[in-house]
């Protein structure tokens, strides 16, 4: 059974995820499954989580590296980031 979503129902969620990102030329990482902004980089390669505005990961050599653990979270190919564990797409990058 396919999930049907009424756009007026989810529109506030989409707008609130965009509003949480500073109004700059940020690079945004959107979750692949729902398109919500998960993290952003205002400049450079440091990604901040949109939910709590904490430094989350650093991009090094086409890999997202956790600032807490130092582990690789995902690898980038083009504008898509793939999970380290299983190669599934987890984030895609877009400009605000």
């Amino acid at each position: 059974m396919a999930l049907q979503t009424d756009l007026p129902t989810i529109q506030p969620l989409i707008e609130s995820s965009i509003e949480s990102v500073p109004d700059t030329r940020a690079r945004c990482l959107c979750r692949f499954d729902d398109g919500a902004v998960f993290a952003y980089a205002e400049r450079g390669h440091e990604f901040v989580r949109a939910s709590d505005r904490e430094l989350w990961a650093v991009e090094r050599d086409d890999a997202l590296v956790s600032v807490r653990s130092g582990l690789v979270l995902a690898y980038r190919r083009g504008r898509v980031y793939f999970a380290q564990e299983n190669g599934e797409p987890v984030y895609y990058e877009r400009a605000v």
Side-chain angles (χ1 to χ4, degrees):
M1 173 188 270
L3 176 66
Q4 293 183 348
T5 306
D6 182 25
L7 185 58
T9 304
I10 65 165
Q11 190 67 32
L13 298 173
I14 295 169
E15 290 171 0
S16 68
S17 70
I18 292 171
E19 289 170 5
S20 66
V21 177
D23 189 21
T24 62
R25 289 286 184 195
R27 294 169 54 203
C28 292
L29 293 183
C30 299
R31 288 191 300 247
F32 209 83
D33 58 348
D34 64 3
V37 174
F38 179 77
Y40 61 91
E42 291 178 339
R43 59 185 175 281
H45 302 284
E46 296 181 344
F47 283 92
V48 174
R49 249 188 328 256
S51 62
D52 60 7
R53 296 197 168 117
E54 291 291 324
L55 184 59
W56 167 65
V58 177
E59 187 179 37
R60 292 189 198 134
D61 299 324
D62 291 333
L64 282 177
V65 179
S66 169
V67 294
R68 286 189 168 183
S69 67
L71 297 175
V72 173
L73 303 169
Y75 287 101
R76 180 172 66 121
R77 288 194 307 253
R79 293 189 169 268
V80 178
Y81 292 80
F82 297 88
Q84 162 69 11
E85 315 83 47
N86 57 15
E88 294 290 319
V90 286
Y91 308 108
Y92 64 91
E93 183 180 333
R94 70 172 175 86
V96 174

